[in-house]
Amino acid sequence: MPEWKRAVIKVGSGLVTAGGNKCSTKYLLDIASFIMECINRGKEIILVSSGAVASGLSTQPQLIGKKHRTIPEKQALAAIGQSLLMALWGRLFDLPCAQLLLTYDDIYNRNRFVNAKNTLMELLSMKTLPIINENDTVAVDELKVGDNDNLAAYVAVLADADLLIICSDVDGLYDADPHKNPAAQLIPRVDMIDESIYKLAGGTDNTIATGGMLTKIQAAEKATCGGVNTIIMNGTKRGYFELLLNNIICGTIFTKAEHPLKGKKHWMLHARASAGKIYVDSGAVNALVSKGASLLPSGINKLSGEFNAGDTIEIIFAGGEQEIIIAKGITQYGSADLKKIIGKKSQEIEKLVDYFYSEEVVNRDEMVLIKREEHGNNQ
Ligand code: GLU
């Protein structure tokens, strides 16, 4: 494994509760001593820990086993459990632990994203251990990242980490479901995350964990595309951490993209959900892909969805039955105005929409080309 200086370590609820209904040090002791050893060797660590809801549950036995908990119930459990979780981690370290609770808004909104980064950097320079979780007490489902695998990937890119370690209770990615197929083989290394890798991920069978292998692969894709090597490993096995200290990986490593996307482009591609689609002709595709051009109204032939100026949209080429996503970018015109200038020359914009903001619908600097087969090898 390549040398690394800064890592994000994600610990799942299953490890925090050791498979039971309350916080436990069973697996966390070994994880904490691994973290301390890394820090003693001059590395920087950011911890992303799940387990707030699971920890809160231990104090409210009437809710254990309840299938559909209400949103206020879940939020209350997270509020109770988060302090238990921090207290548990705090007992395992000799250095100050700093709590950061993030929501999807902090990822989606670029100002808040940059703010969170500044705070994280300050915490590392103060020699503290930042411990991050989703702010479950205020974020309702639609406003959530939803799982800490993806959250940890966002954090890894945000913090310019060189390594993301996702600790779970499985050994890594298998070529078949190891619970059902005893012949399943662990895949030690993945250099490109494509559909075939996603097909290997089933859902989660664990009733405590939010993510299964799917969210871990999504996380690996986000992180590797942003230049962060990602390991999925079994956090219940002490020996694996000892080997990792000697650069031996027991698990699956997803290697970072050769030409990672950094900063705003990565954020645009992975943090911003698409609000609509702009369909373009083959001339526009050629200009975008081969000439590094911006998107002009003349190359657009159709829209789908309603969106505002400043929203993220996908730029699509429709060839026959197939839709190909060419790029993702931030539109300078909302769909209502854009409808009036589809296929028109830039000089006509002012006349058609009564104002002129820019001759480009999507500026090149606000756009990221999508070439999935090259694994984030973008522009
Ligand atoms: N944020 C949730 C919690 O701490 C966990 C989300 C996850 O398991 O991915 O309870």
Side-chain angles (χ1 to χ4, degrees):
M1 183 174 59
E3 264 307 307
W4 57 275
K5 164 85 179 127
R6 182 177 295 158
V8 172
I9 301 181
K10 185 260 170 174
V11 176
S13 301
L15 297 178
V16 173
T17 58
N21 279 322
K22 61 177 198 288
C23 280
S24 160
T25 53
K26 183 171 177 190
Y27 300 125
L28 303 200
L29 272 171
D30 291 333
I31 297 175
S33 61
F34 170 72
I35 291 175
M36 276 320 294
E37 185 54 35
C38 292
I39 292 174
N40 290 338
R41 293 181 184 194
K43 315 231 185 241
E44 293 175 327
I45 303 289
I46 297 166
L47 183 59
V48 173
S49 176
S50 302
V53 173
S55 308
L57 201 52
S58 63
T59 71
Q60 305 299 314
Q62 76 283 8
L63 294 178
I64 296 175
K66 183 175 174 192
K67 267 218 169 103
H68 299 293
R69 291 181 204 118
T70 64
I71 290 174
E73 276 171 353
K74 282 193 260 181
Q75 292 184 326
L77 289 176
I80 301 165
Q82 184 61 32
S83 62
L84 297 173
L85 187 63
M86 284 305 290
L88 177 67
W89 281 117
R91 283 205 296 279
L92 305 180
F93 293 102
D94 283 340
L95 76 184
C97 295
Q99 170 180 275
L100 255 99
L101 298 178
L102 301 176
T103 65
Y104 183 63
D105 253 2
D106 303 308
I107 310 291
Y108 183 83
N109 178 312
R110 183 101 189 130
N111 287 341
R112 291 171 71 153
F113 188 86
V114 172
N115 250 331
K117 175 179 180 142
N118 294 341
T119 309
L120 260 181
M121 293 306 110
E122 194 61 41
L123 287 169
L124 290 176
S125 77
M126 288 176 171
K127 305 277 175 238
T128 66
L129 176 68
I131 303 183
I132 299 179
N133 195 358
E134 183 138 36
N135 196 350
D136 296 311
T137 52
V138 294
V140 288
D141 283 354
E142 309 77 67
L143 302 176
K144 285 176 83 161
V145 176
D147 67 88
N148 278 359
D149 296 323
N150 279 290
L151 181 69
Y154 286 128
V155 169
V157 175
L158 172 129
D160 275 330
D162 6 79
L163 183 63
L164 167 63
I165 304 173
I166 299 179
C167 298
S168 170
D169 49 9
V170 289
D171 278 356
L173 180 66
Y174 281 83
D175 61 2
D177 184 346
H179 300 294
K180 296 183 187 141
N181 183 347
Q185 294 282 323
L186 183 83
I187 303 173
R189 179 182 168 127
V190 175
D191 290 321
M192 192 171 75
I193 299 174
D194 55 16
E195 287 312 319
S196 67
I197 297 296
Y198 273 102
K199 280 205 186 110
L200 299 176
T204 175
D205 288 338
N206 187 330
T207 49
I208 289 193
T210 306
M213 196 45 78
L214 178 63
T215 54
K216 290 177 181 45
I217 292 174
Q218 289 167 345
E221 186 177 15
K222 282 190 185 73
T224 52
C225 171
V228 186
N229 286 313
T230 302
I231 295 172
I232 299 176
M233 66 176 275
N234 195 329
T236 69
K237 309 230 170 120
R238 169 187 297 176
Y240 288 6
F241 289 110
E242 279 160 17
L243 288 167
L244 193 57
L245 285 170
N246 294 311
N247 273 345
I248 298 167
I249 300 164
C250 297
T252 303
I253 180 162
F254 298 78
T255 55
K256 65 178 180 182
E258 235 176 89
H259 304 283
L261 277 180
K262 285 288 177 192
K264 196 167 176 188
K265 293 211 170 189
H266 185 277
W267 167 82
M268 215 153 39
L269 185 59
H270 289 291
R272 301 265 302 194
S274 169
K277 294 177 179 177
I278 296 180
Y279 291 82
V280 297
D281 60 26
S282 56
V285 173
N286 189 30
L288 299 182
V289 175
S290 315
K291 301 194 182 128
S294 297
L295 178 65
L296 305 178
S298 55
I300 301 176
N301 49 29
K302 195 170 73 161
L303 305 179
S304 131
E306 282 181 19
F307 47 84
N308 297 312
D311 279 348
T312 302
I313 47 80
E314 286 170 334
I315 300 174
I316 308 274
F317 177 68
E321 298 280 277
Q322 236 201 341
E323 285 192 0
I324 304 163
I325 306 179
I326 306 297
K328 204 166 162 186
I330 297 178
T331 175
Q332 316 227 48
Y333 291 92
S335 50
D337 287 337
L338 210 43
K339 273 182 198 143
K340 301 179 192 156
I341 58 175
I342 283 180
K344 304 286 191 224
K345 296 232 168 353
S346 296
Q347 301 86 291
E348 297 176 83
I349 295 179
E350 192 166 2
K351 192 174 75 206
L352 293 165
V353 296
D354 284 342
Y355 69 95
F356 177 77
Y357 186 68
S358 159
E359 62 180 28
E360 294 144 357
V361 175
V362 183
N363 181 279
R364 185 61 191 193
D365 294 336
E366 310 262 276
M367 181 195 301
V368 54
L369 291 184
I370 299 187
K371 293 192 247 171
R372 190 154 183 185
E373 71 281 8
E374 287 183 30
H375 188 203
N377 181 356
N378 228 292
Q379 2 214 316

